[in-house]
Amino acid sequence: MSTKPPKQQHSAGMWTRTLACTFLLLCLACGGGGGSRDDEGPQAPTQHQLQAAIELALRALDTEAQRGADLEKLYVANDLAGNLIPMTRGVSAGTIVANAGDETTCITVSFEGDTQIRSYDGSPACRGVSGSLRITRVSAEEIVPGVRVTDLSLVDFDTGDGCPVNGAQRTTVSADGIHITAECTYTDLDICGRLFSGQVTLDGRTPTDWEVAMDEAIHRYPDGSEATLALRRQPADGLMRGSIAARLADGGYAMTAEAMRIDPACGLPTAGGLMITAPDGSRAGADFSTTTCDTPLVTVTRGNTTDEWPLFDAP
């Protein structure tokens, strides 16, 4: 009887060693034992990446600046309609309507039932305002203390720039002492041919500290980038402040806009700045106080380094 040599046993040992070597090589190829690039975390943005994030925010801000100017017309309309005057407990809705705004020779006032119609002739006495407002009080303060609701229709309402507003709003006004908040809801309001739907909050106490709170806006672009803005604008000086979330290929940038003003001639900011937090957590500041349409440069500070960067491929 013949005996088989231990060939099978020797072959199994070879396969075991081969598999072990292959596994070790695969681990080394994947970065095992030496650490991988993914373990290093997000990298600080390059100048090109940070500049792209700033320019993305500025494109969206330019669009929002136009919308903010449109919404300031609604501030004027609500002011003239008496929606922004302080409320006194016990004052009837009829008294508020009758005394809404300053009566001058440039205004014609008439009534249709509970609706007051105020027509403006566009003269300097009317602040250049033309068109008409139809004001209907839905509820009086004595019914809901501290709150009144008004339906306001705007017919060819023009604040003097040749850009009429047509449409309707419902305004809910509440007051805490002399502080007033007016929440205005619109559906397909036509502002100089641009349709607007949504809610705007007017918030303040005096003509110089009133703010127009613009609802959150998302701007998406063909390259896949997007910017989400939540801004407030002061009608007294047109300055905007608020938050901007910019998303690009290299990640998300969180920005805070501070006292920014956009020049409509070129769409660039000429005041204020941006505080920026990059995807890796590093911070930067963009200062536009010396930016002009003729000198499209922004001053950027990162750490202890401050440089001037061109905007939108400016020479």
Side-chain angles (χ1 to χ4, degrees), residues 117-193:
I117 304 169
R118 300 171 64 84
S119 299
Y120 302 85
D121 66 9
S123 67
C126 272
R127 301 187 241 176
V129 172
S130 61
S132 63
L133 299 174
R134 298 174 60 89
I135 309 162
T136 306
R137 300 295 182 198
V138 178
S139 66
E141 185 200 0
E142 61 266 25
I143 299 175
V144 183
V147 175
R148 68 173 180 260
V149 179
T150 303
D151 282 339
L152 179 64
S153 294
L154 300 88
V155 181
D156 292 331
F157 183 80
D158 191 329
T159 56
D161 60 359
C163 184
V165 183
N166 287 277
Q169 71 167 49
R170 170 158 288 193
T171 303
T172 301
V173 183
S174 58
D176 179 10
I178 61 172
H179 185 270
I180 305 172
T181 298
E183 295 183 349
C184 310
T185 303
Y186 304 92
T187 303
D188 290 337
L189 190 73
D190 188 321
I191 305 177
C192 202

Side-chain angles (χ1 to χ4, degrees), residues 4-315:
K4 290 183 179 180
K7 181 177 180 181
Q8 185 68 27
Q9 195 175 28
H10 175 70
S11 176
M14 287 181 63
W15 277 110
T16 300
R17 287 192 297 273
T18 301
L19 288 172
C21 290
T22 302
F23 179 77
L24 178 60
L25 289 172
L26 286 172
C27 287
L28 291 174
C30 294
S36 67
R37 186 173 180 83
D38 291 340
D39 295 335
E40 297 174 6
Q43 302 296 303
T46 64
Q47 175 179 336
H48 174 75
Q49 290 171 326
L50 184 56
Q51 194 166 347
I54 292 173
E55 291 178 351
L56 171 63
L58 296 187
R59 284 199 298 271
L61 276 169
D62 182 27
T63 303
E64 289 302 292
Q66 177 60 62
R67 192 164 73 111
D70 288 344
L71 298 183
E72 283 182 15
K73 299 176 185 295
L74 306 180
Y75 165 81
V76 174
N78 279 276
D79 186 25
L80 292 175
N83 284 335
L84 308 185
I85 61 175
M87 292 177 293
T88 303
R89 184 162 299 182
V91 175
S92 69
T95 301
I96 293 175
V97 170
N99 294 317
D102 295 327
E103 295 294 341
T104 69
T105 56
C106 72
I107 305 173
T108 301
V109 180
S110 60
F111 287 86
E112 290 182 1
D114 294 332
T115 297
Q116 183 191 63
I117 304 169
R118 300 171 64 84
S119 299
Y120 302 85
D121 66 9
S123 67
C126 272
R127 301 187 241 176
V129 172
S130 61
S132 63
L133 299 174
R134 298 174 60 89
I135 309 162
T136 306
R137 300 295 182 198
V138 178
S139 66
E141 185 200 0
E142 61 266 25
I143 299 175
V144 183
V147 175
R148 68 173 180 260
V149 179
T150 303
D151 282 339
L152 179 64
S153 294
L154 300 88
V155 181
D156 292 331
F157 183 80
D158 191 329
T159 56
D161 60 359
C163 184
V165 183
N166 287 277
Q169 71 167 49
R170 170 158 288 193
T171 303
T172 301
V173 183
S174 58
D176 179 10
I178 61 172
H179 185 270
I180 305 172
T181 298
E183 295 183 349
C184 310
T185 303
Y186 304 92
T187 303
D188 290 337
L189 190 73
D190 188 321
I191 305 177
C192 202
R194 294 181 289 271
L195 293 181
F196 171 73
S197 296
Q199 189 173 78
V200 177
T201 300
L202 306 175
D203 189 69
R205 292 179 296 180
T206 67
T208 56
D209 76 353
W210 274 93
E211 289 186 327
V212 179
M214 302 158 66
D215 58 339
E216 185 176 86
I218 301 177
H219 299 263
R220 295 185 175 91
Y221 298 93
D223 62 359
S225 61
E226 69 176 47
T228 303
L229 297 83
L231 301 174
R232 300 177 74 89
R233 180 182 172 109
Q234 292 183 313
D237 53 22
L239 296 179
M240 294 186 294
R241 62 180 178 85
S243 64
I244 304 171
R247 179 161 296 280
L248 295 94
D250 62 310
Y253 292 77
M255 306 185 192
T256 301
E258 300 178 343
M260 295 190 68
R261 181 188 294 113
I262 303 296
D263 188 331
C266 59
L268 293 178
T270 55
L274 292 171
M275 297 301 297
I276 307 164
T277 301
D280 70 317
S282 61
R283 296 178 182 273
D287 180 6
F288 302 97
S289 59
T290 60
T291 305
T292 67
C293 292
D294 294 329
T295 311
L297 300 174
V298 57
T299 302
V300 178
T301 300
R302 293 191 292 177
N304 297 322
T305 303
T306 298
D307 299 291
E308 280 193 334
W309 293 356
L311 293 169
F312 299 105
D313 299 322

